[in-house]
Amino acid sequence: MRRRSPVDSSSDESEYTGSGVDDGLESDTDLTDVDTCTDEDDEQCEGAEGEAWLSPDEDHPPEHYLQQLETFDEREYTKEDYKDSSTRLLDRMEDQWNQCWTFLEQDHLHDYATVSVGTLYTFFDWLLEHRRGKGGRRRRGTKYASSLGTYWKVFRLVYERATGVRLDGKMNRSMHKVLRKLAKKHSLKKVGRDKACMYVEDQTLVLQTNLVTTEKRYPHGRCRIQAQFYLQIGGFTVNRPGAILGLCYRHIRVTLLRDPEGGPHRVLLEFTFEFTKEFLGIKDMNTFPLPEIIYDESLIFSPHVLLLGMLFHDRAFAAYNLTSPEELSKLHIPPGRNELPLRLSRELDNIPVLRKAVKTPTGWIISPNEPLPYSTLLPWIRALGQITGFEQVTRPYSLRYAGGKAFNENGNVSEAMQNLMMGHASIGTFLKHYLSRRVRVDTQAVVRGIQPQDALMRAACTMSRSIDHRRPRRLTPEQSASVNDHPTVRSLLDRRERLKRALKNATKHPKYQELNRRINREKQRQRHALLQKVKEHWEYEQPVRDVEQQLTSTEIKDDHKVGYSTLLPAQKELVDAILARPGLTLEEEIRRRNTAISAVMRYCGIEEGGMHLSRPKRSSGRITPPGKSEESTQLDLDEKALEAAKVAVYKETRPRICFVCLGNENLPTELRTYSFYTSVDLSKHFKRKHLQHIKEGDELRCNLCQVCLDSKMHLRRHALDVHGTVS
């Protein structure tokens, strides 16, 4: 009998695929796509059909598969499938379980078969009082009852992983009472951490702060752009930080799309998030299309400007001559088509879009292939929230909380679509773990049947309501020095003095060095505790002082000013381009967009340096000569400063300008020509910033002299003989 062709069998595909239900298998070939035979070969096909599968043309002999069957370990496939971070959490809990019974000298209780309510009470009581972690490091301790509940959940997973069965329901119910008693015994707070939402009003302020602040100095200019881009994408797509940080160029599609309403062509960005949270397999990838907004009030919310700037800087487009926004503006969609795909180079498929900054002997560069870690992003977002003046702590997840709430309240987003975008199995996950416990509904208006004050209620629930730039963010020098009088620090300092008198060359002795590290850790711990107390006292006492001053007609001073004059030239150019007003015509609007993209491109190539300049800007107080613009005057001044610095590093016996920084063209002129207070300060800088970061195999070079250097010793010799820098 003749086999059916794929065309013949397509109508009843459900017979082969289970009535159209996806069985989870992925294949490039349809299950109904079978080989066909011609009429002349029907008999041969029917004769060979029954035996062809018995002798497949494979590379491995039967013995290979038989051996594989004998050595197959089913435990690898029957245990729960956790990500590496979850596995580390379970391993840590298992280590603590073993440490507890080793400390109590009850080795027989290591066995999970001996678990009882009594042993669990003893273990968690020990865990809450235990203050030393791995390597003797001091732990921060547990403050919230919800954390104790998390410990219990993790332990149940550890028990199930070790025994293959779950704890019975009776013990689970008994443990609820145990956890309540332990929380009361150790005075754990019952109020959990506030799920602070960064609404669009708050997000706007943080984005502006990131653009204009000089308090937060990034090592490289692209880091500032990446922080800005994350703040935008995190709010628009509500994806987890790991998914956004895992974006590679293969996950991005850039398209010139025809406007169905007859407007100008739009740049469409499509983000496909692959590295979402996984459990029992890989989730389907969600794609978020973001169309360009023409005549937007501000480009501060435009991911198109930032991403296109990074793409042009990386020369990421497959078309070799698409290297600038001006060339992008020349493109059009031919008649009869609705899109013009702008393909990215396949060589960059696995390169992360957001990458970490790496310290080299000559300065900071952006890693060619290492992704930006979450441990770097988190302090960035926290610092920006503090500089903005928020009382609440800003976190990357604050964007996900706020975006999820916006989707939940929007009538155009169904519950199914919300679960799809947020990667939740049901709406219960959002209600339990994401929805803020702060009620934003005007309940009195609802009960009384009057018009609700929606704008006022929204303002009452934002981070922006707490803005106060006077809020302390760091200790004063006097407060920082006061930790030396803390009894614990004082005792350690006395021990160090006794050890110094008892040993010869004590500073090089391992005991002395270990004690030094312990003193530094303790000082840091006490400074952190003191800063928390200062903040708590300020939050209560400052409003009281403000009220008293107002009632006594005393003027309240707020010295906070945004210092645009202190911005680096490239940063000022970036700020002006991003915050520019919309154009009056389409040509002006396209020009505004292209100017902003070009500013992002240039800023991705500069090095901020990560240090603050204490001296005033050189151009301060100067008058622009007639017939010259301020920019051309500044360029002339920069050229003169660079020439004077080059003369100094060659002619002076002991110069105070770093020749390595001077030769780094990615640094701003202020940092390239920075003059240290003494030549000794220059030597310290040279060792700490340049020599310390030389690794085996690094290519060393003096950009001023245009010579290659063979080794670290050769660089030190060159620094002394040619540029007078002692190291």
Side-chain angles (χ1 to χ4, degrees):
M1 185 180 73
R2 179 180 168 182
R3 299 182 186 179
R4 291 182 298 175
S5 68
V7 176
D8 296 332
S9 59
S10 59
S11 60
D12 52 355
E13 180 182 351
S14 59
E15 295 180 9
Y16 297 89
T17 58
S19 301
V21 178
D22 184 10
D23 60 0
L25 298 175
E26 295 183 2
S27 175
D28 295 334
T29 305
D30 196 328
L31 293 179
T32 63
D33 188 5
V34 295
D35 295 333
T36 59
C37 299
T38 62
D39 293 336
E40 292 80 5
D41 294 336
D42 278 347
E43 294 184 4
Q44 288 85 346
C45 287
E46 292 177 1
E49 185 176 345
E51 298 181 1
W53 63 275
L54 292 175
S55 57
D57 185 14
E58 298 289 349
D59 294 333
H60 299 295
E63 291 78 7
H64 168 80
Y65 299 99
L66 293 174
Q67 183 180 7
Q68 180 175 275
L69 178 61
E70 293 177 358
T71 59
F72 187 79
D73 186 4
E74 290 189 5
R75 292 175 299 177
E76 182 67 24
Y77 300 91
T78 56
K79 67 181 182 181
E80 296 288 1
D81 186 15
Y82 297 113
K83 295 188 70 173
D84 293 340
S85 56
S86 300
T87 302
R88 287 194 296 270
L89 189 63
L90 298 181
D91 292 341
R92 191 182 307 129
M93 178 61 69
E94 189 171 19
D95 290 341
Q96 290 169 338
W97 172 263
N98 293 327
Q99 289 174 19
C100 172
W101 303 120
T102 300
F103 174 76
L104 299 178
E105 298 181 352
Q106 299 291 325
D107 293 339
H108 66 284
L109 295 179
H110 285 275
D111 189 357
Y112 290 99
T114 62
V115 168
S116 64
V117 175
T119 57
L120 290 174
Y121 182 95
T122 303
F123 167 66
F124 285 110
D125 189 33
W126 172 87
L127 183 63
L128 293 173
E129 292 180 349
H130 192 51
R131 288 292 182 267
R132 295 290 174 183
K134 186 175 292 186
R137 290 177 294 184
R138 188 178 180 87
R139 298 173 58 213
R140 296 180 64 181
T142 304
K143 300 179 181 179
Y144 297 99
S146 59
S147 299
L148 180 58
T150 302
Y151 296 159
W152 167 235
K153 293 176 183 177
V154 174
F155 179 83
R156 286 187 300 175
L157 296 177
V158 171
Y159 179 89
E160 184 179 349
R161 182 177 68 171
T163 63
V165 296
R166 296 184 178 182
L167 282 166
D168 61 86
K170 182 179 180 181
M171 183 175 293
N172 195 20
R173 289 189 295 272
S174 300
M175 282 301 297
H176 290 312
K177 187 174 182 179
V178 168
L179 297 179
R180 288 196 299 271
K181 286 197 172 184
L182 287 174
K184 185 176 181 179
K185 177 181 178 181
H186 294 273
S187 302
L188 301 183
K189 299 178 183 178
K190 295 183 179 180
V191 179
R193 187 182 72 183
D194 182 27
K195 296 179 175 62
C197 296
M198 192 187 299
Y199 297 111
V200 66
E201 301 92 336
D202 314 316
Q203 194 177 356
T204 303
L205 296 175
V206 176
L207 285 168
Q208 291 176 345
T209 298
N210 184 55
L211 277 179
V212 306
T213 184
T214 56
E215 291 187 56
K216 174 61 181 172
R217 183 67 63 84
Y218 295 91
H220 197 279
R222 180 161 177 144
C223 295
R224 189 181 297 271
I225 300 300
Q226 292 181 159
Q228 193 86 352
F229 181 72
Y230 178 87
L231 287 167
Q232 294 174 347
I233 296 300
F236 295 154
T237 68
V238 300
N239 267 281
R240 295 178 175 87
I244 299 175
L245 296 176
L247 272 177
C248 296
Y249 285 108
R250 72 175 184 272
H251 302 132
I252 296 175
R253 184 177 179 184
V254 184
T255 308
L256 198 62
L257 189 67
R258 188 184 300 279
D259 187 350
E261 297 181 352
H265 301 331
R266 309 297 178 92
V267 175
L268 178 70
L269 301 180
E270 295 174 274
F271 300 92
T272 300
F273 293 93
E274 177 179 351
F275 301 101
T276 56
K277 191 174 183 180
E278 301 171 5
F279 181 72
L280 294 180
I282 300 176
K283 289 186 178 180
D284 292 335
M285 296 183 289
N286 294 338
T287 298
F288 290 78
L290 298 179
E292 182 183 16
I293 300 177
I294 304 293
Y295 299 111
D296 199 353
E297 285 298 318
S298 172
L299 297 177
I300 198 169
F301 271 108
S302 173
H304 300 74
V305 167
L306 299 180
L307 181 60
L308 288 173
M310 290 189 286
L311 292 177
F312 282 129
H313 182 267
D314 292 342
R315 293 187 174 272
F317 288 101
Y320 71 92
N321 50 358
L322 182 55
T323 58
S324 70
E326 289 73 24
E327 289 158 350
L328 175 64
S329 302
K330 299 176 184 177
L331 301 177
H332 66 279
I333 302 175
R337 293 164 54 188
N338 293 322
E339 68 171 8
L340 177 63
L342 307 178
R343 303 297 188 196
L344 302 182
S345 174
R346 290 182 175 176
E347 296 178 356
L348 301 177
D349 276 355
N350 298 319
I351 301 299
V353 178
L354 306 181
R355 303 193 291 277
K356 65 187 293 187
V358 180
K359 181 67 174 173
T360 67
T362 56
W364 289 93
I365 64 170
I366 295 297
S367 172
N369 53 17
E370 295 183 81
L372 179 69
Y374 181 77
S375 58
T376 300
L377 176 70
L378 177 60
W380 288 358
I381 306 300
R382 283 180 175 174
L384 291 174
Q386 291 176 352
I387 297 171
T388 305
F390 295 153
E391 176 186 0
Q392 295 168 295
V393 178
T394 55
R395 301 177 178 87
Y397 261 90
S398 299
L399 297 166
R400 183 167 165 85
Y401 294 144
K405 188 170 179 61
F407 292 152
N408 186 259
E409 295 175 351
N410 191 292
N412 296 324
V413 180
S414 65
E415 180 179 310
M417 180 57 67
Q418 178 185 338
N419 292 335
L420 176 67
M421 289 188 292
M422 301 196 68
H424 292 160
S426 67
I427 197 65
T429 305
F430 173 79
L431 297 177
K432 183 176 181 180
H433 299 289
Y434 286 83
L435 188 61
S436 175
R437 299 308 177 213
R438 191 175 186 86
V439 178
R440 286 183 52 183
V441 178
D442 190 352
T443 55
Q444 64 173 346
V446 173
V447 173
R448 295 176 58 187
I450 61 178
Q451 184 69 27
Q453 304 180 76
D454 293 332
L456 191 60
M457 288 299 299
R458 183 177 178 87
C461 298
T462 61
M463 291 182 176
S464 307
R465 65 173 286 190
S466 66
I467 285 182
D468 193 332
H469 296 287
R470 302 172 300 171
R471 182 172 285 109
R473 299 198 300 272
R474 59 183 67 88
L475 296 176
T476 64
E478 294 77 13
Q479 291 170 335
S480 182
S482 67
V483 301
N484 292 330
D485 299 327
H486 190 274
T488 305
V489 177
R490 189 73 262 165
S491 175
L492 292 172
L493 291 173
D494 292 340
R495 285 179 56 186
R496 187 174 67 178
E497 284 300 319
R498 291 195 299 269
L499 190 62
K500 189 174 182 179
R501 290 192 297 266
L503 298 174
K504 289 185 178 181
N505 296 326
T507 55
K508 298 182 179 180
H509 197 278
K511 289 185 178 180
Y512 185 91
Q513 294 174 348
E514 175 59 30
L515 187 57
N516 248 346
R517 288 190 287 269
R518 186 176 174 185
I519 290 173
N520 292 334
R521 289 196 298 266
E522 186 61 33
K523 284 184 177 181
Q524 185 64 28
R525 189 177 302 112
Q526 296 303 332
R527 290 192 191 100
H528 178 76
L530 179 59
L531 179 59
Q532 297 305 313
K533 290 181 180 179
V534 169
K535 288 181 177 180
E536 290 175 4
H537 290 164
W538 188 94
E539 293 293 345
Y540 179 81
E541 296 171 359
Q542 187 59 46
V544 176
R545 288 193 291 266
D546 290 343
V547 172
E548 293 173 347
Q549 289 175 351
Q550 289 188 32
L551 295 178
T552 57
S553 301
T554 304
E555 182 182 358
I556 301 176
K557 295 183 179 180
D558 188 355
D559 298 329
H560 176 76
K561 294 180 181 179
V562 180
Y564 288 94
S565 60
T566 63
L567 298 180
L568 299 174
Q571 187 178 0
K572 187 175 186 304
E573 177 191 2
L574 178 69
V575 172
D576 292 341
I578 297 294
L579 300 182
R581 302 298 299 170
L584 298 178
T585 64
L586 180 60
E587 290 75 15
E588 290 182 2
E589 178 66 8
I590 297 299
R591 194 179 306 119
R592 177 179 76 141
R593 182 199 68 181
N594 292 349
T595 301
I597 294 174
S598 298
V600 171
M601 286 176 60
R602 283 188 286 273
Y603 206 78
C604 283
I606 75 162
E607 182 183 343
E608 292 191 10
M611 73 177 187
H612 301 271
L613 298 179
S614 57
R615 63 182 182 183
K617 196 176 179 180
R618 293 190 311 277
S619 60
S620 177
R622 289 190 172 92
I623 300 175
T624 303
K628 278 196 172 185
S629 65
E630 184 179 350
E631 289 78 6
S632 61
T633 303
Q634 183 62 46
L635 288 174
D636 293 342
L637 294 173
D638 289 346
E639 288 296 329
K640 292 179 180 179
L642 290 171
E643 288 301 321
K646 291 177 182 178
V647 171
V649 298
Y650 280 111
K651 298 298 184 182
E652 293 182 10
T653 305
R654 287 292 179 265
R656 293 176 294 158
I657 298 174
C658 177
F659 73 95
V660 180
C661 294
L662 182 60
N664 186 357
E665 296 181 354
N666 292 328
L667 278 176
T669 305
E670 287 81 357
L671 295 182
R672 294 178 65 185
T673 60
Y674 186 82
S675 179
F676 291 88
Y677 189 72
T678 65
S679 59
V680 176
D681 294 332
L682 171 61
S683 297
K684 293 178 181 177
H685 161 84
F686 183 64
K687 294 176 186 176
R688 184 176 64 253
K689 296 295 184 181
H690 301 300
L691 293 180
Q692 183 179 348
H693 299 280
I694 296 178
K695 301 176 184 177
E696 190 70 26
D698 282 346
E699 295 183 3
L700 305 179
R701 177 181 175 83
C702 176
N703 291 328
L704 287 182
C705 302
Q706 296 295 314
V707 296
C708 295
L709 305 169
D710 298 331
S711 62
K712 182 177 180 179
M713 184 57 67
H714 192 185
L715 174 61
R716 297 177 64 187
R717 190 78 252 177
H718 177 84
L720 178 62
D721 294 343
V722 180
H723 303 293
T725 302
V726 180
S727 61

